[in-house]
Amino acid sequence: LSIVIIGAVLGPVLQTNESDPKSTFLSRCKKFNQYDCQRLWGAFEQAYVNKDPCNVPVQAYDPLIAAAPFKPQCNKMMFWSKTKVVVHGFTEKRKDCFVTLEDTVLGYALNGLTWCGKKGSNGTFTTACPRNCENNPVDSFWIRASAAYADVACGDVTAMLSGSTITPFDPTSTFAKVEVTRFKAPKVRSLNVVMVIQKNAKSNCKNASLQKLKKALHTGITYSCKDVSRIQECGSKPQIACKTCW
Ligand code: N1C
């Protein structure tokens, strides 16, 4: 009996054991229905399996992105930099207002995971995966997915940046390097920055780096920035209209 009980407890836990990316990927993917998850896993694997883990370029994920293209969700698309926890804590409660890359099948399935292959092996590994070389499997995926997600951006776009850093618009971030430059006018009408202000904030909307963000935007895209210190409020009160979140 005790074995049955242990099995019943461990079964569901092991199903999403992060040391087994395949089962995590498949179980997360299944929550979306409408996708052939086995086929997506196959398209994912081909990007890095049997390759030197420092030799997986961004384009290796083209077939994966093509197999699960991002759908434009005008006026709801949310981007972020250095605010991952706040953003997802918030979008989880207000899916009606905003969607992030992690709310799409690929972003959701791979969020927080580590993976790499090895030359001469057909396996997926989670330990000793390099992140310090340019063409590593994890960074290349996020760059490719971020580019594809930004490519379909439309309408009024939101970005949550962090007032807890000295440079909220960090030129080395994926948001700056990959996403902002892909927003196209007139498909994208505006970029609206929500500056997350927590206690002991180091910057706000007046920060000089935001002038660079404004300049980096293609002409025709309107820019705005708002310092928001009570981000939770909109998340905890579902009756607040999206427009009046801040
Ligand atoms: O480099 P960043 O942030 O500016 O990237 C964030 C930006 C978002 O707008 C997303 O659309 O780029 C996209 N994105 C993810 O969705 C994502 N999920 C998980 C980029 N990176 C993502 N990750 C991991 O976080 C990934 O490992 C990458 O290196 C970090 C980047 O976090 P950041 O510096 O706060």
Side-chain angles (χ1 to χ4, degrees), residues 202-214:
K202 294 193 173 76
S203 62
N204 56 33
C205 285
K206 297 196 181 88
N207 187 275
S209 72
L210 295 165
Q211 294 303 314
K212 295 191 178 144
L213 167 53
K214 214 174 150 176

Side-chain angles (χ1 to χ4, degrees), residues 181-201:
T181 51
R182 286 186 139 81
F183 297 152
K184 290 175 203 76
K187 192 166 71 144
V188 170
R189 185 168 37 181
S190 65
L191 174 69
N192 305 289
V193 173
V194 172
M195 189 62 77
V196 180
I197 305 294
Q198 289 166 317
K199 66 167 188 216
N200 304 320

Side-chain angles (χ1 to χ4, degrees), residues 45-93:
E45 260 189 335
Q46 64 73 42
Y48 61 86
V49 151
N50 211 343
K51 286 186 192 166
D52 173 341
C54 278
N55 197 12
V56 176
V58 172
Q59 309 86 271
Y61 291 99
D62 287 354
L64 175 64
I65 302 292
F70 296 110
K71 297 179 190 81
Q73 305 212 57
C74 304
N75 308 321
K76 288 177 75 177
M77 296 176 77
M78 170 72 87
F79 296 83
W80 52 270
S81 192
K82 312 291 181 286
T83 51
K84 195 176 185 206
V85 175
V86 185
V87 160
H88 295 126
F90 172 77
T91 51
E92 191 151 299
K93 294 187 200 117

Side-chain angles (χ1 to χ4, degrees), residues 97-113:
C97 298
F98 298 107
V99 291
T100 63
L101 175 51
E102 284 78 10
D103 298 308
T104 68
V105 67
L106 295 180
Y108 184 76
L110 293 165
N111 193 19
L113 301 189

Side-chain angles (χ1 to χ4, degrees), residues 79-82 101-102 131 142 146 173-175 179:
F79 296 83
W80 52 270
S81 192
K82 312 291 181 286
L101 175 51
E102 284 78 10
R131 287 294 288 271
W142 288 112
S146 302
S173 67
T174 306
F175 176 65
E179 295 177 330

